[in-house]
Amino acid sequence: MDGHPHPADRRGLTPLFWSHVRPYGKVNLDMDTRLNLATAAAPGPRVAESEAARSAMENA
């Protein structure tokens, strides 16, 4: 064994086993405060790389 778990070993790990793991750290929510969504900017639509390159060539 090289120290890495085999895929068959990973199948034995149930969600219950991982329920205590917080991959993003501890998150505290303040439910008494509202978010100011008027100042939030939404990202534009995503385009494929080939489409973005073609658009850049057309605008050049």
Side-chain angles (χ1 to χ4, degrees):
M1 296 264 329
D2 60 359
H4 297 287
H6 190 270
D9 297 329
R10 290 180 189 258
R11 284 195 299 265
L13 301 176
T14 66
L16 180 61
F17 178 81
W18 290 101
S19 64
H20 69 285
V21 176
R22 293 187 176 114
Y24 304 108
K26 188 174 179 180
V27 178
N28 295 318
L29 298 176
D30 184 359
M31 299 302 287
D32 296 324
T33 304
R34 294 184 61 92
L35 295 175
N36 185 1
L37 298 178
T39 61
R46 296 181 69 183
V47 295
E49 285 184 35
S50 59
E51 185 179 333
R54 183 175 58 237
S55 177
M57 290 176 64
E58 291 172 355
N59 292 333

